[in-house]
Amino acid sequence: MARQVAERSDTIPALANVFRTYGFDGASLAVITEHTGLGKGSLYNFFPRGKEEMAEAVLDEVDGWFRSEVFEPLRAESVPPRQRIQSMFATAGDYFRSGQRICLFGAFALGEERNRFGARVRTYFDEWTAALEAALVGAEDSIGLAEEAVAGIQGAIVMSRALDDGAVYSRVTTRLEDRLVQALTP
Amino acid sequence: MARQVAERSDTIPALANVFRTYGFDGASLAVITEHTGLGKGSLYNFFPRGKEEMAEAVLDEVDGWFRSEVFEPLRAESVPPRQRIQSMFATAGDYFRSGQRICLFGAFALGEERNRFGARVRTYFDEWTAALEAALVGAEDSIGLAEEAVAGIQGAIVMSRALDDGAVYSRVTTRLEDRLVQALTP
DNA sequence: GTCTATACAGTGATAGAC
DNA sequence: GTCTATCACTGTATAGAC
């Protein structure tokens, strides 16, 4: 598929797709060339340090998206906590397409990619958990609940991918959402 | 590290280690040679179809282990359900070393390895969930609970790897265990 | 900025000596 | 059964034309 490319950031969505599908090792420059529509020369022009820089750019982009679309809304004190939490599950479900789309940070945490990008991976999970904990105001053991929910979403992705069944993701995350909302109003 | 090798099965633990650490793509024959102490000639003597056959053998071995050590005990009707479930969490926690050791099937579910080994991955999760459900006799929504627990364990592995903190695994799985035991005795 | 050509290390796999 | 040598190929990365 040819793509209209004018600047570096235009390639990020395609690169994200490639790394999600093939992992860091499996994403060969041949595959990247095909999916971005850019030759090696152009790619090295945008990303002088090669594949590693491409992956870093993708992780930064995804992290930025979660920051503005998930983490910050979780801390928006003008919105009722219950609504913030429900929005988080809705947004995450859309993003991960009910488990049909994997979490790059989760996959990199399991794979050998953790050696290269461990700091970014850790930050992502730390921030998500902390933001969710902030939304669980007044709930008992808000830290444990937040931790369980973030881990549960990752597990839901793993399992729905394993069974190739998006319904698993929906069922598991709905249970999590119910439990968190429940904890808010004892 | 040199290894005493007499037959094919002697190589499986080392191979499992390699695939867990590097993934299927990242596990080059050079790395495999190093970790098994066997040259390519010997490896291809044991596994004529090469890397793919090695990974299949590893998955079969792990699957067999879970079958006898986890799935079957979950169905042992001579043991009280509560005890079966507690044993499962204890055994899984030991096996995954509190999240320091990843689940090959979970990692393969997220990665491109799913394309090759999807059937084995699916079976593993199906059987685990079904066996756990069988142990949740009398519990309300035993299917949903079992699904949540299996997914939760996978998520606990992802997150404790991401944060490089085995305590996360322990906390998350303890919560799951408590909830399942609770559901048994309403 | 994008391409093609090229370098060259590393890949999975095979053949044949021992 | 294990090794070394070698195969054809693909990997990342670079150089230079346009």
Side-chain angles (χ1 to χ4, degrees):
Chain A
M1 160 183 57
R3 295 188 130 262
Q4 192 78 348
V5 173
E7 44 183 331
R8 184 184 130 129
S9 63
D10 292 342
T11 68
I12 303 289
L15 287 174
N17 242 319
V18 171
F19 286 122
R20 252 188 284 262
T21 306
Y22 299 96
F24 185 78
D25 273 25
S28 70
L29 288 185
V31 169
I32 293 173
T33 290
E34 184 186 346
H35 281 74
T36 56
L38 261 58
K40 296 182 193 181
S42 304
L43 289 170
Y44 275 89
N45 179 51
F46 287 141
F47 306 95
R49 295 197 342 273
K51 250 174 71 167
E52 182 141 352
E53 190 170 354
M54 299 180 207
E56 286 170 6
V58 167
L59 291 178
D60 288 345
E61 198 277 339
V62 173
D63 188 72
W65 190 91
F66 270 82
R67 222 175 271 266
S68 65
E69 304 298 322
V70 179
F71 307 162
E72 283 179 16
L74 272 174
R75 297 180 185 274
E77 294 184 9
S78 59
V79 180
R82 175 199 168 103
Q83 195 177 318
R84 288 186 248 162
I85 287 170
Q86 289 172 330
S87 290
M88 183 207 78
F89 278 100
T91 306
D94 286 348
Y95 184 85
F96 296 127
R97 306 214 184 117
S98 296
Q100 306 290 69
R101 183 201 245 184
I102 69 164
C103 175
L104 216 40
F105 289 95
F108 279 20
L110 286 190
E112 97 290 358
E113 294 94 339
R114 192 183 62 149
N115 297 326
R116 291 173 185 268
F117 310 109
R120 282 180 172 81
V121 169
R122 181 193 300 247
T123 301
Y124 173 84
F125 281 96
D126 267 340
E127 303 226 335
W128 194 345
T129 309
L132 182 50
E133 193 221 329
L136 286 164
V137 279
E140 199 186 342
D141 189 17
S142 58
I143 295 183
L145 269 174
E147 196 170 66
E148 178 183 10
V150 174
I153 289 172
Q154 294 296 318
I157 296 172
V158 171
M159 194 155 167
S160 69
R161 285 267 304 182
L163 301 177
D164 202 16
D165 179 6
V168 175
Y169 179 92
S170 304
R171 287 197 298 267
V172 171
T173 55
T174 299
R175 293 177 74 98
L176 290 168
E177 179 177 344
D178 289 349
R179 188 167 312 119
L180 263 56
V181 169
Q182 191 77 13
L184 277 177
T185 54
Chain B
M1 163 182 55
R3 294 189 131 263
Q4 192 79 347
V5 173
E7 45 184 331
R8 183 184 130 129
S9 63
D10 292 342
T11 68
I12 304 288
L15 287 174
N17 241 320
V18 171
F19 285 122
R20 253 189 283 264
T21 306
Y22 299 95
F24 185 78
D25 273 24
S28 70
L29 287 187
V31 170
I32 293 174
T33 289
E34 184 187 347
H35 281 73
T36 57
L38 262 59
K40 295 183 191 181
S42 304
L43 288 170
Y44 274 89
N45 179 50
F46 287 140
F47 307 95
R49 295 197 342 273
K51 248 173 73 167
E52 181 141 353
E53 192 171 353
M54 298 181 209
E56 285 171 6
V58 167
L59 291 178
D60 288 345
E61 198 276 339
V62 174
D63 188 73
W65 190 91
F66 270 84
R67 222 174 272 266
S68 65
E69 305 297 323
V70 179
F71 306 162
E72 283 178 16
L74 272 175
R75 296 180 186 275
E77 295 186 8
S78 60
V79 180
R82 175 199 168 102
Q83 196 176 318
R84 287 186 250 161
I85 287 169
Q86 289 172 329
S87 290
M88 184 208 79
F89 277 100
T91 307
D94 286 348
Y95 183 85
F96 295 126
R97 306 213 183 118
S98 296
Q100 305 290 69
R101 184 202 244 183
I102 69 165
C103 175
L104 257 184
F105 289 95
F108 279 20
L110 286 190
E112 98 289 358
E113 294 94 339
R114 192 182 63 149
N115 298 326
R116 291 173 187 267
F117 310 109
R120 281 181 173 81
V121 170
R122 182 193 300 247
T123 301
Y124 172 85
F125 281 97
D126 268 340
E127 303 225 336
W128 194 346
T129 310
L132 183 52
E133 193 221 331
L136 287 164
V137 279
E140 199 186 343
D141 189 18
S142 58
I143 296 184
L145 269 175
E147 196 169 67
E148 179 184 8
V150 174
I153 290 172
Q154 294 296 319
I157 296 172
V158 171
M159 194 154 165
S160 69
R161 285 267 304 181
L163 301 179
D164 201 16
D165 179 5
V168 175
Y169 179 92
S170 305
R171 287 196 297 267
V172 172
T173 55
T174 298
R175 293 177 74 97
L176 290 167
E177 181 178 343
D178 289 349
R179 189 168 308 119
L180 264 55
V181 169
Q182 191 76 13
L184 278 176
T185 54

